[in-house]
Amino acid sequence: MVLKIGVLVSGRGSNLQAIMDACDEGKIPAQVVVVISDVGDAPALERARLKGIDAVHVDYHGFNGKTEYEQVVAGILKDHHVELVCLAGYMRIVGRSLLDAFQNRIINIHPALLPSFPGLDAQRQAVEHGVRFSGCTVHFIDEGVDSGPIILQAVVPVHQSDTPEILAQRILAEEHRIYPEAIGLFARGKLKIEGRKVMLG
Ligand code: GRF
């Protein structure tokens, strides 16, 4: 059985690329069936089209608020029979209507070791705080900001000479490794949410 994935993006799409490549190379039993962006000229849309995947721009500003917008997004995902929604550089907070439509079926990647440094500019937060290690986290989405149950994390060192950009590059390499891995675990039925925790196995 191949898991059908929908990916929500807003920008560059390097995580989307890593996910699509892992699927194509047969590393995970999954397939990206649709990519949706709230930004019309997001390079991620082009990456999807190059793979022959449906790539849709849904303009947030064309709707009367988040609920209406998310109903349309959820409709597109359902039309494609999506079983797991992956946020990959999607710059909007997911609201109730999308959460309800895909309960425990929305995951995200964040470029820090949560619960440290949630929200925007996580790599800059880490550099400015002076931590010795940072990393990335794949987690389920809940109503908070970067607060849902944690699936996988990877650690990278933070060097004294690091700029946020240099640290971001080091973290990104790990993102591209653990995001497909987490999707593989989900696809194989290896993730069980128990309260705050995700049990693997
Ligand atoms: C990544 O650093 C991801 O962790 C964060 O946004 C960035 C998206 O990069 N949520 P890309 O669009 O996947 O290249």
Side-chain angles (χ1 to χ4, degrees):
M1 272 283 283
V2 172
L3 183 83
K4 290 189 165 64
I5 306 173
V7 185
L8 303 192
V9 295
S10 299
R12 178 178 59 180
S14 72
N15 277 288
L16 166 69
Q17 190 73 50
I19 295 165
M20 293 189 301
D21 290 347
C23 293
D24 279 359
E25 290 161 16
K27 290 183 180 157
I28 54 175
Q31 180 194 4
V32 179
V33 293
V34 66
V35 174
I36 301 174
S37 174
D38 61 325
V39 175
D41 59 359
L45 286 173
E46 194 49 36
R47 290 184 192 258
R49 289 185 187 120
L50 284 171
K51 291 268 194 186
I53 293 167
D54 268 2
V56 189
H57 170 217
V58 182
D59 184 4
Y60 184 88
H61 305 287
F63 299 93
N64 234 329
K66 181 171 277 197
T67 304
E68 261 189 29
Y69 160 78
E70 286 195 341
Q71 278 165 355
V72 169
V73 170
I76 295 169
L77 294 167
K78 297 271 182 199
D79 284 348
H80 286 78
H81 307 287
V82 163
E83 298 160 288
L84 175 69
V85 180
C86 299
L87 312 184
Y90 179 63
M91 297 305 286
R92 293 191 178 277
I93 293 172
V94 173
R96 197 66 265 167
S97 51
L98 201 50
L99 279 168
D100 286 347
F102 289 91
Q103 235 183 357
N104 292 340
R105 288 180 169 270
I106 310 180
I107 64 176
N108 180 45
I109 183 125
H110 181 74
L113 292 175
L114 293 171
S116 289
F117 313 130
L120 292 176
D121 249 337
Q123 303 94 333
R124 179 173 301 278
Q125 291 185 54
V127 166
E128 287 177 358
H129 198 92
V131 291
R132 302 294 187 209
F133 293 92
S134 190
C136 48
T137 304
V138 183
H139 63 96
F140 283 100
I141 286 289
D142 64 10
E143 270 164 298
V145 176
D146 301 322
S147 59
I150 290 168
I151 302 169
L152 290 179
Q153 294 187 301
V155 178
V156 308
V158 181
H159 304 310
Q160 236 145 44
S161 56
D162 276 352
T163 60
E165 292 71 27
I166 290 170
L167 177 60
Q169 281 307 317
R170 194 175 305 126
I171 293 173
L172 198 61
E174 291 301 300
E175 295 185 35
H176 296 165
R177 186 175 65 76
I178 69 167
Y179 209 176
E181 190 182 335
I183 294 167
L185 290 170
F186 185 98
R188 295 188 176 94
K190 304 278 191 203
L191 304 180
K192 199 156 146 242
I193 301 178
E194 286 181 13
R196 246 239 66 88
K197 293 187 185 171
V198 179
M199 309 310 279
L200 307 180

